[in-house]
Amino acid sequence: MRADGRAVDELRPITITRGWSDQAEGSALIEFGATRVLCTASLTEGVPRWLKGEGRGWVTAEYAMLPRATSTRSARESVKGKIGGRTHEISRLIGRALRSIIDLKALGENTVVLDCDVLQADGGTRTAAITGAYVALAEAISWAHANGVIKANVKPLVDTVSAVSVGIIDGVPMLDLPYVEDVRAETDMNVVVTGSGNFVEVQGTAEGAPFNRGELDVLLDLAVAGCAQLTTIQQETLEAGRGR
Amino acid sequence: MRADGRAVDELRPITITRGWSDQAEGSALIEFGATRVLCTASLTEGVPRWLKGEGRGWVTAEYAMLPRATSTRSARESVKGKIGGRTHEISRLIGRALRSIIDLKALGENTVVLDCDVLQADGGTRTAAITGAYVALAEAISWAHANGVIKANVKPLVDTVSAVSVGIIDGVPMLDLPYVEDVRAETDMNVVVTGSGNFVEVQGTAEGAPFNRGELDVLLDLAVAGCAQLTTIQQETLEAGRGR
Amino acid sequence: MRADGRAVDELRPITITRGWSDQAEGSALIEFGATRVLCTASLTEGVPRWLKGEGRGWVTAEYAMLPRATSTRSARESVKGKIGGRTHEISRLIGRALRSIIDLKALGENTVVLDCDVLQADGGTRTAAITGAYVALAEAISWAHANGVIKANVKPLVDTVSAVSVGIIDGVPMLDLPYVEDVRAETDMNVVVTGSGNFVEVQGTAEGAPFNRGELDVLLDLAVAGCAQLTTIQQETLEAGRGR
Amino acid sequence: MRADGRAVDELRPITITRGWSDQAEGSALIEFGATRVLCTASLTEGVPRWLKGEGRGWVTAEYAMLPRATSTRSARESVKGKIGGRTHEISRLIGRALRSIIDLKALGENTVVLDCDVLQADGGTRTAAITGAYVALAEAISWAHANGVIKANVKPLVDTVSAVSVGIIDGVPMLDLPYVEDVRAETDMNVVVTGSGNFVEVQGTAEGAPFNRGELDVLLDLAVAGCAQLTTIQQETLEAGRGR
Amino acid sequence: MRADGRAVDELRPITITRGWSDQAEGSALIEFGATRVLCTASLTEGVPRWLKGEGRGWVTAEYAMLPRATSTRSARESVKGKIGGRTHEISRLIGRALRSIIDLKALGENTVVLDCDVLQADGGTRTAAITGAYVALAEAISWAHANGVIKANVKPLVDTVSAVSVGIIDGVPMLDLPYVEDVRAETDMNVVVTGSGNFVEVQGTAEGAPFNRGELDVLLDLAVAGCAQLTTIQQETLEAGRGR
Amino acid sequence: MRADGRAVDELRPITITRGWSDQAEGSALIEFGATRVLCTASLTEGVPRWLKGEGRGWVTAEYAMLPRATSTRSARESVKGKIGGRTHEISRLIGRALRSIIDLKALGENTVVLDCDVLQADGGTRTAAITGAYVALAEAISWAHANGVIKANVKPLVDTVSAVSVGIIDGVPMLDLPYVEDVRAETDMNVVVTGSGNFVEVQGTAEGAPFNRGELDVLLDLAVAGCAQLTTIQQETLEAGRGR
């Protein structure tokens, strides 16, 4: 039995608020239980210098956490004057995940920056960020279509993408770990899956004892099933239209 | 006539959501129209090294803006590796404002860090931050009383504090400027006022033509009246109790 | 009675040495009692990238303090690897003050950098810096006229500017505070005034008890009268010609 | 057929030179084909402040690349003044890998820093680093036994660890990718395996098309078989004794 | 014939103003022609952590240049966020030079920081800094004697020290190069000499053609003779007493 | 008698491995006893912006030390976020030394970056770096000739260069100091000499007692003789051809 009463293969309550921002081309406030991440997509014309003239666009991501998103306050990375390894690693992961489902040629020479700011953290912030960033990105692509930045018959999004964490606690594989479970997990895995069910990223780490092939298989099953549910929620949110 | 239909001495719609954070000792999401600032108060035992053993507490503040709080995206200060002059200046202003109404002796050897993160910016973010930070601070002091960190008969808060911007646009002094007015203002002034009606800070700047004594007097009148209304809203929020 | 025997509305001895530098287009070593600030104006053709092609010039300022300007040595900001909030805030203030009296269109696509380095600090360094920077700027404009960088009939300076600090010590409003008074002031205010008597900047801060409207009015009167005297000294210095 | 004539399940020539350094407690120069990584283990008494008094040791790693390890020169991270995301990510990976096979209690309050400096890069530098770092670590533990820093009957190493890269090129899963294959891989996976055959880390990334479950299974099979061979080479090297 | 009419073995006019600072324990404004360096000596009780409890003191130096010390403005190192190689190199040189003539045991557990700030630069700033820093240091030691920080019969200064630049221009060895000569020199040498005539530092660099042994000998002769004159000026200044 | 049995005027065993790198245009692993420095020369077309269009090339150098090159581990400069004074100073020295024997006009608009990474340090790393960097540079120039980047009849190298350390230990001048001698030296001198026997750089520092003219002369004699031997070894290495 889990502390919050969920089954081992059950997601926390998921809420996605589309169009949270009045300023960004796309945005979503995503909640996985008490984890809340504000995702914005900033779409601008032009690409970084190293891509110029190649007829392709660029998608990149930046992840950050507010200092009091966690139970004790952390110093700001801006104050420390440098970005920590964990932040870098997650930003790169989000960027790769979102680039996996976009056709950069179809995007044209446009750049999308996905900002994922964790307002409150309770485990699974990076996977929530990927899941929310997809909604913000889709909204920004709609904006680009509506505003003539991308032609109506050009479809940069070739699939959808979502992500979830899984892990083994006391020998039991479980889906979608909140902080209290995450710190106790022997193995921790983040899985990024497309809407069509293929893997974009599999990152499994033994925090305690190494894991065997059988455990790996069960974890992958849980993650694939969890992402299928997230895909449905993403689609429902996008069909329901903007609104805070 | 102002773009949003307000009278020259009228505030934008003000909303304060107390207890927005599940993690912080005190918190408030404050909205001045489309400006939204998340304020958290982190209260911890102990003081910075330079204050140790003096029997006094410390209150400090940090202000920051999400990259897409504004109409075009700004680079993160953590990525740039340094904090800009504007951020420093506002953080220091918020800290001074909140320290003006707290008795650091009564606070005991405890530290409160006020984090004011602008989620969306539409003018007046620093004054909204001060006004919201007061609510977060008051909530944190209640928490300290409830948890025995500060004795029930010790009252660190000696007054309340709020702040508002005023400015002269096309020769007309006005209260609470949104971004569209702020960029056009000839004179811009931020005023921090205690609940008892005295000044903590008066910062007036001629952005265009220098201003005369008569104009200064009208701006101060507008600001004092605006802060009186903010004081009332703060008190109502605190009396209504926590809740998101 | 003040420690140095001055009346409450009396300035410290003011000395301005024009043309202190053999290298800069304009320069002044200004002394307010023991406070000594070396101000240089570097005038170069061209403007920052973001201003190019707009037919306007730019004026900016940088303030700094030598490590042993003060009674105990401070670490250099270059060694610490970052500029502190106070330095940023004062640099920005000086820049705004000097831009308020210059017609950037008349300056043409030229840039003036005002460097204000505090060689010795005894209170009022930022206001001394503004007052001295005006002399350096005026000298640089003369240099530009003499060297054909700006045409003789084009007058970029539309007014003069000076600044002074005022404050309340033991309930008594006073003009031009040296360090011993500054640390004891309940309220501290820096006022920047044009030669024609209007305000460019009013920055009043309650260091101890908040201040009321009556006190604010007395402080402003003191500052306006002090700046009028500084304006006279500036003019006399500029008329007397260069010389170290 | 691979460019270097290898079978799809064949490792490049592997060379491990133990005791390359005269200074470090443990060291190994490891070569995977043209990839050369110098791994040193610095064992010192004491632990970081946050671990003090807990009776446990600490193992951490730092990865870096010489500027001309690659075919075109990269700027030094020391000159740029910050460490890039890739460096951070790999350093963290190596640290986790080595901590997975060490009993930190048995290590006692000692710290081991594993420095992995890439002298020449031709793909697979992070997995070579892990494989070489294990040899350096084992040598440092022998040194600690020989010098009485750890008692003879205390065995901090609970297993061995090695790592290898696998990937899919033109639809074909392959073991141990050199640079020319790595840049063309659709999927790239780094796998860290213990001597007893369990997983410490599985990091698979779709660089091009997402991958399916079947492909994942083949990649894992290749990696497990490759690591088994690396384990044998590590053991032979350690049994053969020190020597450059 | 030199541009300023001097003989090849003649120093520029040298002026040393002792006690320029009201704040520092020792200070001197030194001028070598148009080169002006403000040297302060800050003497404080205590030593850096790594020297604690060894009964010895410490002397260190920091060199810097105001942005407009030179004919064109340089960016501040504090703004750039890092100290350049040249600044580091000169700071280290000055520190070594001054430590060479002080008995750190006799200094006791006290620290002297020598700040050498170039107010105006016209060649030879590092050698002027060393020569002036000696006067500031001697004044600070007198202050320590007068204030009982060092006992009257303890003499930390075991010799005096001065420095001068020499160089070869158009094949002619010359003493004390101003900027116009320095940029044209084929060989440039800075020599630090004690009052008793021994070398502390010899730093000769071929900027153009390498130099031979005969040229090196002539340069050393010029430098030793120049430093003997500087030693006399230092002594006269110190005997004349403080005064700005 | 020296600890390693050498005569006072005897070099340590010197080994130079040409062509150590498969990637760089030129490279050499140089060993002076236990000191090992990997030198690579990266030759690329084009010059830094400030040199463009002048028809001249550029040669620069960067020196660094691996963290465990020394008997105790040092923190990485990339992790500390800044380069220390010593690193800067040595990088600049190497750059000047190599530029002294190259005709930048003949190099054409090409840039050579010399990276000198100390893999193991036992005294004399900077002089070993210069001596090895010359071999790497010569190899890169050969590469440029072979690849048509520089015409066959154009000879950018106008001389050869090598360097060695000398010092006085217990009053005895000695050649080529390993670490155990270096830390005890009263005077330490690094001398850079061309193949034709002239000086490029003479850097003598009194670490303990100042040195006199006679001592300086003996040190220079030792250094010149040592460099003559190094010149021979460099030539033999270059004639023997590439090979690891």
Side-chain angles (χ1 to χ4, degrees):
Chain A
M1 182 74 168
R2 301 170 83 171
D4 54 9
R6 279 186 291 148
V8 293
D9 62 350
E10 193 179 345
L11 291 170
R12 288 179 282 178
I14 310 293
T15 310
I16 306 178
T17 308
R18 263 187 75 180
W20 192 90
S21 164
D22 300 331
Q23 312 266 25
E25 285 73 35
S27 66
L29 177 66
I30 189 162
E31 303 176 60
F32 272 52
T35 288
R36 298 177 200 154
V37 186
L38 178 55
C39 306
T40 59
S42 299
L43 191 153
T44 47
E45 295 186 49
V47 286
R49 195 186 318 225
W50 52 271
L51 251 189
K52 256 175 201 158
E54 308 217 355
R56 281 185 295 139
W58 187 238
V59 172
T60 188
E62 291 187 6
Y63 167 96
M65 216 183 254
L66 293 196
R68 193 58 199 275
T70 43
S71 64
T72 57
R73 187 179 183 275
S74 315
R76 288 174 192 270
E77 294 187 319
S78 59
V79 169
K80 290 192 283 187
K82 57 181 172 185
I83 287 181
R86 181 182 174 277
T87 299
H88 259 134
E89 202 169 312
I90 299 177
S91 294
R92 286 157 56 92
L93 170 65
I94 301 171
R96 286 197 308 269
L98 276 296
R99 280 193 297 275
S100 76
I101 50 93
I102 200 156
D103 175 348
L104 294 172
K105 276 237 136 96
L107 182 58
E109 292 214 346
N110 297 299
T111 294
V112 181
V113 181
L114 296 159
D115 285 292
C116 299
D117 285 88
V118 180
L119 305 186
Q120 190 161 282
D122 186 27
T125 59
R126 79 187 71 187
T127 46
I130 290 168
T131 308
Y134 170 73
V135 176
L137 176 61
E139 205 174 65
I141 298 296
S142 299
W143 176 92
H145 278 137
N147 288 273
V149 174
I150 299 175
K151 288 195 188 133
N153 63 334
V154 175
K155 304 290 184 197
L157 291 174
V158 296
D159 205 335
T160 73
V161 70
S162 67
V164 78
S165 76
V166 286
I168 304 177
I169 293 108
D170 298 333
V172 183
M174 292 184 182
L175 176 67
D176 187 18
L177 314 186
Y179 182 74
V180 291
E181 292 178 354
D182 191 48
V183 291
R184 292 180 47 223
E186 294 106 49
T187 290
D188 185 19
M189 188 174 299
N190 293 295
V191 185
V192 183
V193 182
T194 60
S196 53
N198 287 320
F199 297 106
V200 171
E201 195 94 27
V202 173
Q203 293 201 337
T205 298
E207 303 284 352
F211 52 100
N212 61 35
R213 188 70 169 262
E215 291 169 325
L216 176 56
D217 284 337
V218 177
L219 290 172
L220 290 169
D221 291 340
L222 280 173
V224 168
C227 284
Q229 293 178 58
L230 292 169
T231 300
T232 305
I233 296 169
Q234 287 172 326
Q235 288 310 118
E236 288 170 356
T237 302
L238 286 164
E239 282 156 18
R242 271 184 97 115
R244 182 190 169 226
Chain B
M1 183 73 168
R2 302 170 81 170
D4 54 12
R6 278 185 292 148
V8 293
D9 62 351
E10 193 180 343
L11 291 170
R12 287 179 284 179
I14 310 292
T15 311
I16 306 178
T17 309
R18 264 189 72 181
W20 192 90
S21 163
D22 301 329
Q23 312 267 23
E25 286 73 34
S27 66
L29 177 65
I30 189 162
E31 302 175 61
F32 271 54
T35 288
R36 299 177 199 154
V37 185
L38 178 55
C39 305
T40 59
S42 299
L43 190 152
T44 48
E45 295 186 50
V47 285
R49 195 187 317 227
W50 51 272
L51 250 189
K52 256 177 202 158
E54 308 218 355
R56 281 183 297 137
W58 186 237
V59 173
T60 187
E62 290 187 7
Y63 167 96
M65 216 183 254
L66 293 195
R68 194 57 199 276
T70 43
S71 63
T72 57
R73 188 180 183 272
S74 317
R76 288 176 192 269
E77 294 187 320
S78 58
V79 169
K80 289 191 285 186
K82 56 181 172 185
I83 287 181
R86 182 182 174 278
T87 299
H88 258 135
E89 202 169 312
I90 299 178
S91 294
R92 287 155 57 91
L93 169 66
I94 300 171
R96 286 197 308 268
L98 276 296
R99 281 194 295 277
S100 77
I101 51 90
I102 200 157
D103 175 349
L104 293 173
K105 276 236 135 96
L107 182 57
E109 293 214 346
N110 297 298
T111 295
V112 182
V113 181
L114 296 159
D115 284 293
C116 299
D117 285 88
V118 180
L119 306 186
Q120 189 161 283
D122 186 25
T125 60
R126 78 188 71 186
T127 46
I130 290 169
T131 307
Y134 170 74
V135 175
L137 175 61
E139 206 175 63
I141 297 296
S142 298
W143 176 92
H145 279 136
N147 288 272
V149 174
I150 299 176
K151 288 196 188 133
N153 63 334
V154 175
K155 306 290 184 196
L157 291 174
V158 297
D159 205 335
T160 73
V161 69
S162 66
V164 78
S165 76
V166 287
I168 304 177
I169 294 107
D170 297 332
V172 183
M174 291 184 183
L175 176 67
D176 188 18
L177 315 186
Y179 181 74
V180 290
E181 291 177 354
D182 191 47
V183 292
R184 292 180 47 225
E186 294 105 51
T187 290
D188 185 18
M189 189 174 298
N190 292 295
V191 184
V192 184
V193 181
T194 60
S196 52
N198 287 320
F199 297 107
V200 169
E201 196 94 26
V202 172
Q203 293 201 338
T205 299
E207 304 284 352
F211 52 100
N212 62 33
R213 188 71 169 262
E215 290 169 325
L216 175 56
D217 284 337
V218 176
L219 289 172
L220 290 169
D221 291 342
L222 279 172
V224 168
C227 285
Q229 293 178 58
L230 292 169
T231 300
T232 304
I233 297 169
Q234 287 173 327
Q235 287 310 118
E236 288 170 357
T237 302
L238 286 165
E239 281 156 18
R242 271 185 99 116
R244 183 191 167 226
Chain C
M1 183 73 169
R2 302 170 81 169
D4 55 10
R6 277 187 293 148
V8 293
D9 61 351
E10 192 179 345
L11 291 170
R12 287 180 283 179
I14 310 293
T15 311
I16 306 179
T17 308
R18 266 187 71 178
W20 192 90
S21 163
D22 300 331
Q23 312 268 25
E25 285 72 38
S27 66
L29 176 67
I30 190 163
E31 302 175 62
F32 272 53
T35 288
R36 297 175 201 154
V37 185
L38 178 55
C39 305
T40 59
S42 298
L43 190 153
T44 48
E45 296 186 49
V47 286
R49 196 184 318 223
W50 51 271
L51 250 188
K52 257 175 201 159
E54 308 217 355
R56 280 184 297 137
W58 186 239
V59 172
T60 187
E62 291 187 6
Y63 167 97
M65 216 184 253
L66 294 195
R68 194 56 200 277
T70 43
S71 62
T72 57
R73 187 180 184 274
S74 316
R76 288 175 192 269
E77 294 187 320
S78 59
V79 170
K80 289 191 285 187
K82 56 181 172 183
I83 288 182
R86 182 182 174 276
T87 298
H88 259 135
E89 201 169 312
I90 299 178
S91 294
R92 287 156 55 92
L93 169 66
I94 301 171
R96 287 197 306 269
L98 276 296
R99 281 193 296 276
S100 76
I101 51 91
I102 200 156
D103 175 348
L104 293 172
K105 276 237 135 96
L107 182 58
E109 292 214 347
N110 297 299
T111 295
V112 182
V113 181
L114 297 159
D115 285 292
C116 301
D117 286 89
V118 179
L119 305 186
Q120 190 161 281
D122 186 26
T125 61
R126 78 187 71 186
T127 45
I130 290 168
T131 308
Y134 169 74
V135 175
L137 175 60
E139 206 174 64
I141 297 296
S142 298
W143 175 92
H145 279 136
N147 288 273
V149 175
I150 299 176
K151 288 196 188 133
N153 63 334
V154 174
K155 306 290 185 197
L157 291 174
V158 296
D159 204 334
T160 73
V161 71
S162 66
V164 78
S165 76
V166 287
I168 304 178
I169 294 106
D170 298 333
V172 184
M174 292 184 183
L175 176 67
D176 187 17
L177 314 187
Y179 182 72
V180 290
E181 291 177 355
D182 191 48
V183 291
R184 293 180 47 223
E186 293 105 52
T187 291
D188 185 19
M189 189 174 298
N190 292 295
V191 185
V192 183
V193 181
T194 60
S196 53
N198 287 320
F199 296 107
V200 170
E201 195 95 26
V202 172
Q203 293 200 338
T205 299
E207 302 285 352
F211 52 100
N212 61 34
R213 188 72 169 263
E215 290 168 326
L216 175 56
D217 285 338
V218 176
L219 289 172
L220 291 169
D221 291 342
L222 280 172
V224 168
C227 285
Q229 294 178 56
L230 292 169
T231 300
T232 304
I233 297 170
Q234 287 173 327
Q235 288 310 118
E236 288 170 356
T237 302
L238 287 165
E239 282 156 18
R242 271 183 96 115
R244 182 192 169 221
Chain D
M1 184 70 169
R2 302 170 81 170
D4 54 11
R6 278 186 291 147
V8 293
D9 62 350
E10 193 180 343
L11 291 170
R12 287 179 284 178
I14 310 292
T15 311
I16 306 179
T17 308
R18 264 188 71 179
W20 193 90
S21 162
D22 301 330
Q23 312 268 24
E25 285 72 37
S27 66
L29 176 66
I30 189 162
E31 302 176 61
F32 272 52
T35 287
R36 298 175 201 155
V37 185
L38 177 55
C39 304
T40 58
S42 299
L43 191 153
T44 48
E45 296 186 49
V47 286
R49 196 187 316 227
W50 51 272
L51 251 189
K52 257 177 201 157
E54 308 217 356
R56 281 185 297 138
W58 186 238
V59 173
T60 187
E62 290 187 6
Y63 167 98
M65 215 183 254
L66 293 196
R68 194 56 200 276
T70 43
S71 63
T72 57
R73 186 178 185 275
S74 316
R76 289 175 190 269
E77 294 187 321
S78 59
V79 169
K80 289 192 285 187
K82 57 181 173 185
I83 287 181
R86 182 182 173 278
T87 298
H88 259 134
E89 202 169 311
I90 298 178
S91 294
R92 287 157 54 94
L93 169 65
I94 301 171
R96 285 196 308 268
L98 276 297
R99 282 193 296 276
S100 76
I101 50 93
I102 201 155
D103 176 349
L104 293 173
K105 276 238 135 99
L107 182 58
E109 292 213 346
N110 297 298
T111 294
V112 182
V113 181
L114 297 159
D115 285 293
C116 300
D117 286 88
V118 180
L119 306 186
Q120 190 160 282
D122 186 26
T125 60
R126 78 188 71 187
T127 46
I130 290 168
T131 307
Y134 169 75
V135 175
L137 176 60
E139 206 175 63
I141 298 295
S142 299
W143 176 92
H145 279 137
N147 288 271
V149 174
I150 299 176
K151 288 197 187 132
N153 62 335
V154 174
K155 305 290 185 198
L157 291 174
V158 296
D159 205 335
T160 71
V161 70
S162 67
V164 78
S165 75
V166 287
I168 304 177
I169 294 106
D170 297 333
V172 184
M174 293 185 183
L175 176 67
D176 188 17
L177 315 186
Y179 181 73
V180 290
E181 291 178 355
D182 191 48
V183 291
R184 293 180 47 224
E186 294 104 51
T187 290
D188 185 19
M189 188 174 300
N190 293 295
V191 184
V192 184
V193 181
T194 60
S196 52
N198 286 321
F199 297 106
V200 170
E201 195 95 26
V202 172
Q203 293 201 338
T205 299
E207 303 284 352
F211 51 100
N212 62 34
R213 189 71 170 262
E215 291 168 325
L216 175 56
D217 284 338
V218 177
L219 290 172
L220 290 169
D221 291 341
L222 280 173
V224 168
C227 284
Q229 293 178 58
L230 292 170
T231 301
T232 304
I233 296 169
Q234 286 173 326
Q235 287 310 118
E236 288 170 356
T237 303
L238 286 164
E239 282 156 18
R242 272 183 96 115
R244 180 187 170 231
Chain E
M1 183 72 167
R2 302 170 80 169
D4 54 10
R6 277 186 292 147
V8 293
D9 61 350
E10 193 180 342
L11 292 170
R12 287 179 283 179
I14 310 293
T15 312
I16 307 178
T17 309
R18 266 188 70 180
W20 193 90
S21 162
D22 301 330
Q23 311 266 24
E25 286 73 36
S27 66
L29 176 67
I30 189 163
E31 302 176 61
F32 272 54
T35 288
R36 297 176 201 155
V37 185
L38 178 55
C39 306
T40 59
S42 299
L43 191 154
T44 47
E45 296 187 48
V47 286
R49 195 186 317 225
W50 52 272
L51 250 188
K52 255 176 203 159
E54 309 217 355
R56 281 185 298 138
W58 186 236
V59 172
T60 188
E62 290 186 7
Y63 167 96
M65 217 183 253
L66 294 196
R68 193 56 200 276
T70 42
S71 63
T72 57
R73 187 179 184 274
S74 316
R76 288 175 191 268
E77 294 187 320
S78 59
V79 169
K80 289 191 284 186
K82 57 181 172 183
I83 288 182
R86 181 183 175 278
T87 298
H88 258 136
E89 201 168 313
I90 299 178
S91 294
R92 287 156 57 92
L93 169 66
I94 301 171
R96 286 198 307 269
L98 276 296
R99 282 194 295 275
S100 77
I101 50 93
I102 200 156
D103 175 348
L104 293 172
K105 276 237 133 96
L107 182 58
E109 292 213 347
N110 297 298
T111 295
V112 182
V113 181
L114 297 159
D115 285 292
C116 300
D117 286 88
V118 179
L119 305 187
Q120 189 161 282
D122 186 26
T125 61
R126 78 186 72 186
T127 46
I130 290 169
T131 307
Y134 170 74
V135 174
L137 175 60
E139 205 175 65
I141 297 297
S142 298
W143 176 92
H145 278 137
N147 289 271
V149 174
I150 299 176
K151 288 198 187 131
N153 62 334
V154 175
K155 305 290 185 195
L157 291 174
V158 296
D159 205 335
T160 71
V161 69
S162 66
V164 78
S165 76
V166 287
I168 304 178
I169 294 108
D170 297 334
V172 184
M174 292 184 183
L175 176 68
D176 188 18
L177 314 186
Y179 181 73
V180 290
E181 291 177 355
D182 191 48
V183 291
R184 292 180 47 223
E186 294 105 51
T187 291
D188 185 19
M189 188 175 298
N190 293 294
V191 185
V192 183
V193 182
T194 61
S196 53
N198 288 319
F199 297 106
V200 170
E201 196 93 27
V202 172
Q203 293 200 338
T205 299
E207 304 284 351
F211 52 100
N212 61 34
R213 188 71 169 262
E215 291 169 326
L216 175 57
D217 285 337
V218 177
L219 289 172
L220 290 169
D221 291 342
L222 280 173
V224 168
C227 284
Q229 293 178 57
L230 292 170
T231 301
T232 303
I233 296 169
Q234 286 173 326
Q235 288 310 118
E236 288 170 356
T237 302
L238 285 165
E239 281 156 17
R242 273 184 96 116
R244 181 188 168 228
Chain F
M1 183 71 168
R2 302 170 81 168
D4 54 10
R6 278 185 292 147
V8 294
D9 61 350
E10 194 180 341
L11 291 169
R12 288 179 282 179
I14 310 293
T15 311
I16 306 179
T17 309
R18 264 188 73 179
W20 193 91
S21 163
D22 301 330
Q23 312 268 24
E25 286 72 37
S27 65
L29 176 66
I30 189 163
E31 303 176 61
F32 273 54
T35 288
R36 298 177 201 154
V37 185
L38 178 55
C39 305
T40 58
S42 299
L43 190 153
T44 47
E45 295 187 50
V47 286
R49 194 186 318 224
W50 52 272
L51 251 188
K52 255 174 203 161
E54 309 217 354
R56 280 185 296 137
W58 186 237
V59 173
T60 187
E62 290 187 7
Y63 166 97
M65 216 183 253
L66 293 196
R68 194 57 199 276
T70 44
S71 62
T72 57
R73 186 178 184 276
S74 316
R76 288 175 191 269
E77 294 186 321
S78 59
V79 170
K80 289 191 285 186
K82 57 181 172 184
I83 288 182
R86 181 183 174 277
T87 299
H88 258 135
E89 201 170 312
I90 299 178
S91 294
R92 287 156 56 92
L93 169 66
I94 301 171
R96 286 198 307 269
L98 276 296
R99 281 193 296 275
S100 76
I101 50 92
I102 200 156
D103 175 348
L104 294 172
K105 276 235 134 94
L107 182 58
E109 292 214 346
N110 297 298
T111 295
V112 182
V113 181
L114 297 159
D115 285 292
C116 300
D117 286 88
V118 180
L119 305 186
Q120 189 161 282
D122 186 27
T125 60
R126 78 187 71 186
T127 47
I130 290 168
T131 307
Y134 170 73
V135 175
L137 175 60
E139 207 174 64
I141 298 296
S142 298
W143 176 93
H145 279 135
N147 288 272
V149 175
I150 299 175
K151 289 197 186 132
N153 62 335
V154 175
K155 306 290 186 197
L157 291 174
V158 296
D159 204 336
T160 73
V161 70
S162 66
V164 78
S165 75
V166 287
I168 304 177
I169 294 107
D170 297 334
V172 183
M174 292 183 182
L175 176 67
D176 187 18
L177 315 186
Y179 182 73
V180 291
E181 291 177 355
D182 191 48
V183 291
R184 292 180 47 225
E186 295 105 50
T187 290
D188 185 20
M189 189 173 298
N190 293 295
V191 184
V192 183
V193 181
T194 60
S196 52
N198 287 320
F199 297 106
V200 170
E201 196 94 27
V202 172
Q203 292 201 338
T205 299
E207 302 285 352
F211 52 101
N212 60 35
R213 187 71 169 263
E215 290 169 325
L216 175 57
D217 284 338
V218 177
L219 290 172
L220 291 169
D221 291 342
L222 281 172
V224 168
C227 285
Q229 293 178 58
L230 292 169
T231 300
T232 304
I233 296 169
Q234 287 172 326
Q235 289 309 119
E236 288 169 356
T237 302
L238 286 165
E239 283 156 18
R242 273 184 95 116
R244 182 188 170 226

